[in-house]
Amino acid sequence: MRLSRYFLPVLKETPSEAQIASHRLMLRAGMIKQASAGIYSWLPLGYKVLRKIETIIHEEQARAGHLPVLMPTIQSSDLWQESGRYDAYGPEMLRIRDRHERDMLFTPTAEELITDIFRAHVASYKDLPLTLYQIQWKFRDEIRPRFGVMRGREFYMKDGYNFDLTKEDALHAYNRHLVSYLRTYERMGLQAIPMRADSGPIGGDDTHEFLVLAETGESEVFYDSEITELKFGAREIDYDSHDQCRAVLEEFTSRYARTDETHDEAVFAERVPEARRRQARGIEVGQIFYFGTKYSEPMGATVQTPDGKSVPVHMGSHGIGVSRLAGALIEANHDERGIVWPWEVAPFQVGIVNVKQGDATADAASEGLYKALTAAGFDVLYDDREERAGAKFATMDLIGLPKRVTVGPRGLEKGVVELTDRRTGESEEIKPELVAERLS
Ligand code: ATP
Ligand code: MG
Ligand code: MG
Ligand code: MG
């Protein structure tokens, strides 16, 4: 992409409404624009990041054997009356009335909708296990929308639902989700720690939240410092193996790690040596639940067992805050100059800065690099504007591309360009034709 043809409305001033770094930087880098309280438009740079996050989630869901679907954002209240949640959900639900005076709502979560799909089409244990998920906009009329996309009212969420014959199978689905979530966050360069949590309006007994440690996080968390040393890494896992998935769950949840909702000071003191006790703040980027037959029973989602009995299916639901992740990634990756994107989710991986636009040699070398890097499969942003070099550098630093190639007449006389790492700030001189190889 040539910056002269891109839409990158960066702000010079720090927006006064933004209290935390990610909100400030997303506005300054022209990633989002507020439409109304807690509701945002995603501009090209922000949308590109959102899609990269989404792609990683889809790939990891596919690896775990989960099937993508797409359900509507607007639902009728009928299913929620059936489950008993319509009145219980409270003012976070945006209720809408259509022209026929029918009660509708904007989906805050979709347990009822998916259970209705299941009961219409699945009747036998032979069709289980089944996990369906979507990535779709949700609306919750948050009492205090703030921090930009971190606590929006409209937000993008991955929500998945498992259907199983037995509790044991459903707990395997729970463990499988935990494994796939660990992989998902790590691929984005994020450490998200599973912590024992409270189930809230989704209901159920077993639940873990995934938290990214950050001072600006809204949750208070208590944990054994050993947990931050755990890495899922490159291990291969058989998602069908109950034992393998359970072993990962045990490894990642055996140490004390809880949010304030479930924290117990006495247990904390008893189980964790004082030197390893940590109290910190975290951003909730996902949550998994097992809730058994909470929805299948009232909604009649049953299957035939091998011996011909009809039983309600065991279910769980599993969410990732896709739009919140864009903010959480910035909270975890920025410095005083701007964003520092991890490679996997960077809107562009490489930025080319032509410090002397209009100089025939510099223009030709920049063009050549732009074509070569693009052909090599990199996502490249070429700053080809007639701007001062300083302003170009500031823009690149602000939008946080992992690598910058600086092209100028002085280097070219020596036959080199400069390759700079955004995170470390380290630069090296390199022949233009070797840049692609160095980056792979
Ligand atoms: P929170 O405690 O932050 O209100 P939640 O527990 O109500 O979140 P879940 O029902 O667990 O949310 O939804 C799954 C995920 O969706 C959350 O882990 C979070 O990452 C994301 N999410 C929830 N509410 C919002 C919101 N208002 N804005 C952006 N993301 C959200
Ligand atoms: Mg909430
Ligand atoms: Mg929560
Ligand atoms: Mg939650």
Side-chain angles (χ1 to χ4, degrees), residues 89 92 108-109 140 142 149-158 202 209 218-219 284-287 289 319-324:
Y89 206 90
E92 263 190 26
T109 177
R140 294 183 188 173
E142 300 280 355
V149 299
M150 294 267 247
R151 180 164 304 281
R153 293 197 297 164
E154 190 181 44
F155 60 99
Y156 207 35
M157 195 214 275
K158 174 266 170 183
I202 309 277
E209 278 175 8
E218 291 186 282
S219 312
E284 181 192 330
V285 292
Q287 184 163 12
F289 300 87
I320 294 181
V322 184
S323 48
R324 178 178 290 181

Side-chain angles (χ1 to χ4, degrees), residues 67-81:
L67 305 173
V69 297
L70 189 60
M71 294 182 279
T73 53
I74 306 287
Q75 306 184 33
S76 146
S77 65
D78 299 352
L79 295 173
W80 290 70
Q81 300 283 10

Side-chain angles (χ1 to χ4, degrees), residues 16-73:
S16 59
E17 75 269 28
Q19 301 162 36
I20 63 170
S22 58
H23 187 195
R24 212 157 42 231
L25 289 168
M26 286 181 87
L27 291 170
R28 284 198 52 216
M31 293 177 65
I32 54 171
K33 177 178 183 313
Q34 183 174 308
S36 58
I39 303 178
Y40 291 86
S41 301
W42 291 73
L43 307 183
L45 194 78
Y47 185 47
K48 212 150 184 284
V49 172
L50 194 66
R51 270 171 25 218
K52 290 210 171 174
I53 295 171
E54 199 179 346
T55 301
I56 293 176
I57 296 172
H58 276 303
E59 286 173 7
E60 292 304 324
Q61 288 300 303
R63 202 191 295 275
H66 305 159
L67 305 173
V69 297
L70 189 60
M71 294 182 279
T73 53

